[in-house]
Amino acid sequence: MALGTMVSRATGLIRQVLQAAALGTGLLATTYNTANMVPMSIYTLLIGGALNSVLVPQLVRARSEHADGGRAHEQRLVTLVLSVLAVGTALSVWAAPQIVALYTPDTPGQHAAFELTVVFARFLLPQIFFYGLFFILGQVLNARSKFGAMMWTPVLNNFVLITMFGIYLGLLAGPDRVEDITPGQIDLLGFVTTGGIAVQGLALIPFVRAAGFRFRPRFDWRGTGLRKSLSAARWTLLFVLANLAAMVVVTHYAGAADQQLPTAGVGVTAYGFAQLIWTLPQSIITVSLVTALLPRMSRAVAGHRLDELRGDLSGALRISGVVIVPAAFFFLALGPQTAQLLLAHGAVDAASAAPTGHMLQAFGLGLIPYSAQYLLLRGFYAFEDTRTPFWVAVWIAAVNIALATACHLLLPARWAVTGMAAAYAVAYGIGLLITALLLRRRLSGRLDGRRLCRTYGKLAASAAAAAAVGWLAARASSDVPVAAGWSPTLALVAGGLSMALIFLGLARALKIGELRSLPGLR
């Protein structure tokens, strides 16, 4: 699973690098990226949050409790999900201007950007249905303890988009301004981007068939337990709304920064690129662990085995921390060099890549609470408790919105969105504290906290010392006379290798046993 996720994220990073080279990081790129984030937001709002938090545990329960092994329940659930998504997709395409207006207000000064975002949105909103197809079929596989296909099929989407941006760079002259993009370029970006998500979703069909699932539309939903699922999902809907509210506010403020500095790369696109790079370790390690553990944790709760659930959570936190903690300090120490190496190509120069690097530093240490909080929330979902995660999300969103508003009002446009990245990290730090306290109460007052604090303390001490050495090595390498294009590569190699060696040495000296969970370090 981790290998599949790693390949998926690596090809996704290549896709993002080519996208930056083709579209840049300024206002033009923001129109495409804003339209491209809307389908996933609406999918999650419609049913995605409920699918992950409520319906997977009930799929597991149905397979163990129903006489037919849960097959009828699966067919009803897939029918319900696809029906909701089909209607939601059609309504979203119809209401595209109103949806885009939440992210980018239509004012005389930015009317051209607003109109282009709406055009892109009409092309990209059909992704909602295919996101849903991908995730519901993936959860059918997960309930059967078959995890690999869902991790590998996103690679197909990435290859489609890598090819598209390669063609865009090779055959088309990339415009610098919103007003200069041609209908042909819009068609290419719109059709192929949605086509990639369609390929990703449809590619799971052979795998679910091989796993024994046969889809037959079933609309006999009354009296089958789905009402209980939907009732529990109302809290997940509110959870999604809380997160979506914070994202809309930040996108709105970041778009204002783009309007003030349209070619500086200080707004929505830079924030999105920095956040994507920042979440890579969490996506590879934590998400893989959670995907495998959620069905197991649900079975532990169903069997009233709280010690087993507690052990799964503690083990996952400690194992993921071996990667997450040094990665967080790496971004803090070497964020600018990372952004310059990945993004300073084509339409992006070193100056316009710099804000992304600073945002990556600002996100930095927030990766630790972000990853841990994501994992601990699954403890509540194993209990089929969606109410508590909602209230935690409200606190996180409130802190994030308050701090982002302060950054928007008090900081210059060049630094406002960098401040918002730091606000996001602080919000998740507070969210982790609240989540841990509430889950500890749910687990009879014990969360293996002493062991977790000891492990994370050793990891943080080792990573902090290693980051300091890595930062010094990167600074020293900047004095080495090399071609300008190789300077960030040399700095990143020198800093990264120094940091890795120091961290591994200190971690071994401090006897961090979880280090043995990494391949090659047993």
Side-chain angles (χ1 to χ4, degrees), residues 418-456:
T418 300
M420 293 176 207
Y424 190 89
V426 171
Y428 271 92
I430 295 172
L432 173 62
L433 178 61
I434 296 171
T435 304
L437 291 174
L438 294 175
L439 186 59
R440 182 173 180 267
R441 185 185 307 169
R442 191 69 182 264
L443 292 176
S444 304
R446 291 190 295 120
L447 193 59
D448 204 13
R450 186 172 300 176
R451 187 180 184 187
L452 287 169
C453 289
R454 184 170 59 249
T455 300
Y456 271 76

Side-chain angles (χ1 to χ4, degrees), residues 284-299:
I284 294 171
I285 301 300
T286 310
V287 173
S288 297
L289 285 170
V290 164
T291 303
L293 283 177
L294 185 55
R296 173 171 158 171
M297 290 191 294
S298 300
R299 288 190 289 269

